[in-house]
Amino acid sequence: MIPQTFKEVIDLGDGRTISLETGKLAKQAHGSVVVQMGKAMLLCTVVSSYKPTTMDFFPLTLDYREKFAAAGLFPGGYFKREARPSNEEILVMRLVDRVLRPLFPKDYKFETQVMIQLMSHDDDVMPDALAGLAASAAIQLSDIPFETPISEARVARINGEFVLNPSREKLAEADMDIMVGASADSVMMVEGQFDECSEEEMAEAIKFAHEAIKIQCEAQVKLAEAFGKKEPREYEVAATDADIEKKILDATYQKSYDIAKSGTSKKERSEAFSELKEEVKAMFSEDELEEKGKMISGYFNDAQKKAVRDVTLKEGTRLDGRKTDEIRPIWCEVDYLPSTHGSAIFTRGETQALATVTLGTSREANQVDLPTQQGEETFYLHYNFPPFSTGEAYPIRGTSRREVGHGNLAQRALKGMIPADCPYTVRVVSEVLESNGSSSMATVCAGTMALMDAGVQLKKPVSGIAMGLISEGDDYAVLSDILGDEDHLGDMDFKVTGTVDGITACQMDIKVKGLSYEILVAALKQARDGRLHILEKLSETIPTANSEVKAHSPKIITRRIPNEYIGALIGPGGKVIQELQKETGTTIVINEDPVTEEGVVEILGTQQEGIDKVIAKIESITFKPEKGSVYEVKVIKILDFGAVVEYMDAPGNEVLLHISELAWERTNDVNDVLKMGDVIDVKYFGLDPKTRKDKVSRKALLEKPEGYVARPPRDDKRDNRGSRDRDNRGSRDNRGRDNRRDDRRDDRKPREDKE
């Protein structure tokens, strides 16, 4: 018996709908929902332990997976099974996690797992835009404490119009792709990529998304009420003590204020706060510390946070002594690494990134093999954040989700500025060597300079800046180029990248409720001023991209050849192309243009001489002489009836020069006219109608001798008689052979069966 189901439908206003359904699947989960748009279906479940953990943080696990079966595909690899999540899946996890996590109670320390799975795929639906809605709806159907429903929506601008949750095909036409996460009251997360849009245009896109999200949040409430809204579970709330809180605040606020106002370095500031914390501990007995140690540390952190925020709002100064709109000192250097194809160092205050660029052929493209997307990237960026960059020591357990997310942000910031005719596959790698403030924005700046150093002709240089916000009532301060501590203590962390003409990418996490769009636009404009300041520093270091790649970098030449010549260039079993690569020291890649069906040949090499040899070979293979043209040829073989000659412009292309075409006079022996290795001119006449082979002539270029008389044509009767004789003789021969064959058949004895 199919259980009772509950369903809520969201009308997107253009004929498309999103449905939320519960009651049929995964009923042992604490909350489960199926979100469907078109043929795309996401199953989301949430489970939260009833036993608290001993961790100091909320142990939330957010998992998003795309099943290959959802698209009727097999997983790649040997085992044919989904394994570790792809980068694209990790990016969706981060998008949802960043909106959900702040809405759980701060003292809720129970193991919680949200699992979102794509169970059915639709080519016209991008499921990542539905993941946040699915996660929030599942939580609303559970008894897990959660502040308010949220949802996420993608907005694209296509031909000047905003489109909600477009298909991937439509998204390719957009000049703006932005994902917004919000509750009905407040925008909480923004991440997107833009074609140099303005701050006002970005704010309009956020507003458009928020209006759609309000409807989606309302649908979740209706579904939960129809299903039977559960009361939030009771859990053990962390103990509080107002007396201890006041005692610590009175003892540490002013000292924390003075430390925050002193404008010291990160190390000095950390040492000062550590000493102050030890003073606080000394105010309590060992028994009190053992019993209420976490509470005491929490109250100290609260007092410290309040003091730091008050210094900024009241004094207009920051932890390192800067004004709110001041950028830390910057120094840059390019061509630092001698063996890379391009390199650059970008240092801003205590944040440093070293970027490298590697150039390759289409063979080095990053392959994307997902249920929802197949293809390749010819520009990609990887970001590494080793522990020493923050003075820490811990084991490296593979690429972290943070590294994937920061690398993706930097990649989106730069990829729009890679010219469409760039022949290379380009890989940028950023090694963060120091970190106190946004290392992802340092990566964008270092990446820009490294690309220019490598000779990649960027449309425009790109810079990035991380901004912060501290607000209290009607008072607020927008902070340019935030420190790590300001990121933690502030109300908003937003990173903006762009050129002199507009924004190329952004990532925002907004912690304050009801942030006005006026403050948002003001913050974005302050970010623009900082971005332009940083761009000036980049331009001082490398004003324009190098006109050529470095001497040791590979040069790439692309040639197109007719489809019928691809096989000749590859050779049997790849013999021709392999020997050519070995001989010339180049890498040769051949692809077929799906539109024109031409062969696209990429030649990559460090030595121009080797590249020239490959080009000569291609021209030789694809050489087609023109009728009536004169060509220089070389004698490579002498026969009784002529000479085999090779075109000098196309080595390997041979043609027979018949003995009758050597000279006007009768030639009895080819050796009387030509010798091996002779270089002569011949005229090309196209295909001979009799032999259907190419015809060339030497005598056509020679002056006809005086008194020359052409040989008369053969007599027709003689030809006919000869033909008749040959025919009769042939008949007799055939008849004789037939008779002999018949005789042999008559005399032949039956073959004995050896078996």
Side-chain angles (χ1 to χ4, degrees):
M1 178 179 175
I2 298 176
Q4 182 183 4
T5 59
F6 300 86
K7 191 171 185 178
E8 190 69 30
V9 178
I10 302 166
D11 187 353
L12 298 184
D14 57 0
R16 298 178 300 159
T17 61
I18 301 173
S19 68
L20 307 176
E21 182 183 273
T22 190
K24 184 181 290 187
L25 303 182
K27 296 192 298 298
Q28 291 194 43
H30 296 163
S32 70
V33 69
V34 173
V35 176
Q36 181 169 359
M37 180 176 175
K39 293 185 292 184
M41 297 176 70
L42 292 171
L43 169 64
C44 180
T45 59
V46 59
V47 173
S48 187
S49 173
Y50 288 94
K51 295 180 179 180
T53 69
T54 57
M55 299 178 184
D56 292 333
F57 58 90
F58 173 39
L60 171 66
T61 301
L62 195 294
D63 197 66
Y64 171 81
R65 297 299 179 96
E66 295 180 350
K67 304 297 183 179
F68 277 84
L73 299 173
F74 286 90
Y78 183 79
F79 293 105
K80 300 301 178 188
R81 177 174 183 148
E82 291 90 351
R84 66 178 300 276
S86 66
N87 284 354
E88 289 74 13
E89 289 169 320
I90 289 173
L91 293 173
V92 178
M93 297 177 199
R94 283 175 52 83
L95 282 174
V96 180
D97 186 292
R98 284 159 45 202
V99 185
L100 291 185
R101 190 176 292 272
L103 297 178
F104 289 91
K106 290 184 179 180
D107 56 359
Y108 190 72
K109 302 294 174 62
F110 296 78
E111 189 90 31
T112 303
Q113 184 177 43
V114 178
M115 294 189 66
I116 311 166
Q117 303 177 70
L118 176 68
M119 309 303 288
S120 178
H121 175 55
D122 186 333
D123 287 335
D124 292 329
V125 177
M126 296 183 69
D128 57 348
L130 305 175
L133 170 62
S136 177
I139 295 172
Q140 294 306 306
L141 296 167
S142 75
D143 64 345
I144 301 170
F146 194 71
E147 185 174 328
T148 182
I150 62 94
S151 189
E152 294 179 344
R154 167 178 276 111
V155 172
R157 188 172 64 181
I158 303 171
N159 298 324
E161 298 291 330
F162 289 132
V163 178
L164 182 68
N165 292 357
S167 66
R168 192 177 299 279
E169 182 180 1
K170 286 289 185 182
L171 189 62
E173 305 171 13
D175 63 358
M176 180 184 294
D177 172 16
I178 185 170
M179 189 80 82
V180 178
S183 66
D185 300 324
S186 302
V187 174
M188 307 169 69
M189 185 279 299
V190 179
E191 184 161 326
Q193 178 180 335
F194 312 87
D195 186 10
E196 299 180 282
C197 80
S198 68
E199 288 74 15
E200 291 81 4
E201 289 172 322
M202 178 177 164
E204 287 301 315
I206 296 173
K207 287 181 182 179
F208 182 84
H210 195 194
E211 292 304 313
I213 287 171
K214 291 177 182 178
I215 298 172
Q216 295 174 16
C217 290
E218 183 181 355
Q220 295 175 55
V221 173
K222 290 180 179 179
L223 179 67
E225 290 175 349
F227 179 70
K229 179 65 176 175
K230 301 174 183 176
E231 288 295 322
R233 68 178 62 173
E234 295 183 1
Y235 62 95
E236 185 178 344
V237 179
T240 60
D241 191 317
D243 293 336
I244 293 179
E245 181 180 14
K246 185 176 185 306
K247 180 179 180 180
I248 293 176
L249 181 65
D250 292 342
T252 64
Y253 175 81
Q254 188 58 47
K255 293 180 179 179
S256 295
Y257 193 98
D258 294 338
I259 294 172
K261 187 179 176 181
S262 62
T264 53
S265 68
K266 177 182 178 181
K267 183 179 179 181
E268 294 171 330
R269 190 166 58 250
S270 297
E271 290 175 351
F273 279 124
S274 294
E275 290 175 3
L276 182 57
K277 189 171 184 178
E278 291 301 318
E279 292 180 15
V280 170
K281 289 181 178 180
M283 296 164 52
F284 299 92
S285 66
E286 290 186 6
D287 291 341
E288 287 176 316
L289 289 174
E290 185 175 352
E291 180 184 354
K292 301 180 178 180
K294 289 184 179 180
M295 181 192 300
I296 292 168
S297 293
Y299 287 146
F300 172 74
N301 292 335
D302 291 343
Q304 177 186 336
K305 180 177 180 178
K306 177 174 173 53
V308 172
R309 290 168 61 90
D310 286 351
V311 167
T312 301
L313 289 173
K314 295 177 181 179
E315 308 283 346
T317 60
R318 299 158 63 179
L319 287 171
D320 57 359
R322 283 181 293 148
K323 297 178 181 178
T324 56
D325 61 351
E326 190 175 347
I327 311 298
R328 287 173 290 176
I330 294 171
W331 67 265
C332 312
E333 183 178 340
V334 296
D335 197 22
Y336 177 73
L337 300 173
S339 297
T340 61
H341 299 163
S343 64
I345 303 171
F346 177 82
T347 307
R348 183 192 60 238
E350 296 173 298
T351 297
Q352 183 179 79
L354 170 61
T356 60
V357 170
T358 307
L359 307 175
T361 66
S362 59
R363 187 180 295 166
E364 281 72 45
N366 183 39
Q367 300 299 318
V368 179
D369 182 21
L370 300 169
T372 55
Q373 181 186 5
Q374 291 80 43
E376 59 183 28
E377 295 175 325
T378 55
F379 172 76
Y380 49 99
L381 186 149
H382 293 146
Y383 164 101
N384 296 318
F385 192 86
F388 66 77
S389 64
T390 54
E392 297 174 276
Y394 53 81
I396 298 175
R397 307 294 188 191
T399 306
S400 69
R401 293 186 178 187
R402 180 180 185 275
E403 288 173 309
V404 172
H406 281 37
N408 179 68
L409 173 61
Q411 177 175 321
R412 299 180 86 184
L414 292 169
K415 75 176 183 179
M417 293 299 114
I418 303 294
D421 60 354
C422 178
Y424 294 98
T425 290
V426 181
R427 181 188 185 224
V428 179
V429 178
S430 173
E431 303 290 346
V432 178
L433 307 181
E434 296 180 44
S435 181
N436 181 19
S438 180
S439 53
S440 62
M441 296 298 94
T443 292
V444 172
C445 299
T448 290
M449 293 187 293
L451 287 165
M452 296 170 72
D453 179 53
V456 177
Q457 304 301 309
L458 290 181
K459 297 175 187 177
K460 299 169 189 174
V462 181
S463 69
I465 188 170
M467 306 291 291
L469 175 72
I470 293 177
S471 61
E472 200 69 50
D474 294 333
D475 293 335
Y476 72 91
V478 178
L479 311 180
S480 298
D481 180 23
I482 58 173
L483 303 170
D485 289 341
E486 290 171 332
D487 179 7
H488 174 67
L489 299 171
D491 297 323
M492 180 167 65
D493 166 29
F494 62 108
K495 305 175 179 71
V496 188
T497 72
T499 67
V500 293
D501 295 319
I503 298 170
T504 60
C506 79
Q507 184 182 95
M508 297 186 185
D509 290 302
I510 303 168
K511 307 167 191 175
V512 62
K513 296 179 184 178
L515 178 70
S516 70
Y517 284 97
E518 291 75 16
I519 294 178
L520 178 61
V521 172
L524 288 170
K525 288 186 175 181
Q526 185 170 318
R528 182 178 186 274
D529 294 338
R531 202 174 72 235
L532 295 179
H533 169 77
I534 296 171
L535 271 175
E536 289 180 6
K537 297 295 183 181
L538 305 186
S539 297
E540 289 173 6
T541 305
I542 180 166
T544 58
N546 291 332
S547 58
E548 296 181 354
V549 299
K550 298 179 185 298
H552 62 272
S553 296
K555 289 79 178 171
I556 191 167
I557 301 293
T558 302
R559 287 287 185 271
R560 287 179 172 265
I561 62 175
N563 182 278
E564 61 266 25
Y565 291 110
I566 295 177
L569 181 55
I570 295 173
K575 182 178 179 182
V576 173
I577 194 171
Q578 290 172 8
E579 289 182 353
L580 189 58
Q581 289 181 116
K582 185 176 180 181
E583 177 188 346
T584 60
T586 60
T587 298
I588 305 170
V589 179
I590 306 174
N591 297 307
E592 186 173 322
D593 189 311
V595 178
T596 65
E597 295 187 351
E598 292 178 298
V600 181
V601 185
E602 298 174 10
I603 311 158
L604 191 82
T606 56
Q607 300 299 323
Q608 189 63 43
E609 181 182 356
I611 294 175
D612 291 341
K613 285 183 179 179
V614 177
I615 294 173
K617 181 66 174 179
I618 293 172
E619 292 176 347
S620 173
I621 291 174
T622 60
F623 175 75
K624 281 187 176 181
E626 294 183 9
K627 190 174 181 179
S629 298
V630 176
Y631 295 96
E632 193 176 48
V633 297
K634 180 180 180 180
V635 179
I636 61 172
K637 188 183 294 184
I638 293 180
L639 307 170
D640 291 342
F641 50 87
V644 178
V645 295
E646 180 183 61
Y647 291 98
M648 295 294 288
D649 291 338
N653 276 268
E654 304 169 359
V655 66
L656 174 66
L657 175 59
H658 195 267
I659 191 170
S660 63
E661 298 296 333
L662 291 177
W664 291 103
E665 301 85 357
R666 180 180 179 84
T667 304
N668 294 315
D669 188 343
V670 176
N671 290 289
D672 294 341
V673 181
L674 297 176
K675 292 182 177 56
M676 287 287 292
D678 283 355
V679 177
I680 60 174
D681 288 338
V682 296
K683 186 175 182 179
Y684 178 70
F685 285 93
L687 291 179
D688 188 311
K690 292 183 179 179
T691 65
R692 304 304 299 169
K693 294 182 179 180
D694 288 341
K695 179 182 178 181
V696 295
S697 174
R698 174 177 178 268
K699 75 178 184 181
L701 300 176
L702 302 176
E703 187 176 349
K704 189 180 296 185
E706 187 176 350
Y708 173 79
V709 178
R711 295 173 61 189
R714 290 182 176 183
D715 182 65
D716 290 342
K717 293 180 180 179
R718 185 182 61 191
D719 289 345
N720 292 337
R721 185 176 63 253
S723 175
R724 185 170 60 252
D725 291 344
R726 285 192 297 273
D727 290 343
N728 293 337
R729 187 169 59 250
S731 299
R732 287 195 300 272
D733 290 345
N734 290 337
R735 186 172 59 252
R737 284 194 296 271
D738 289 344
N739 292 337
R740 286 195 300 274
R741 191 177 301 115
D742 291 339
D743 293 342
R744 285 198 300 272
R745 287 195 193 100
D746 295 339
D747 298 336
R748 191 165 49 210
K749 295 180 180 180
R751 199 172 87 182
E752 295 181 3
D753 192 344
K754 294 182 179 180
E755 297 181 1

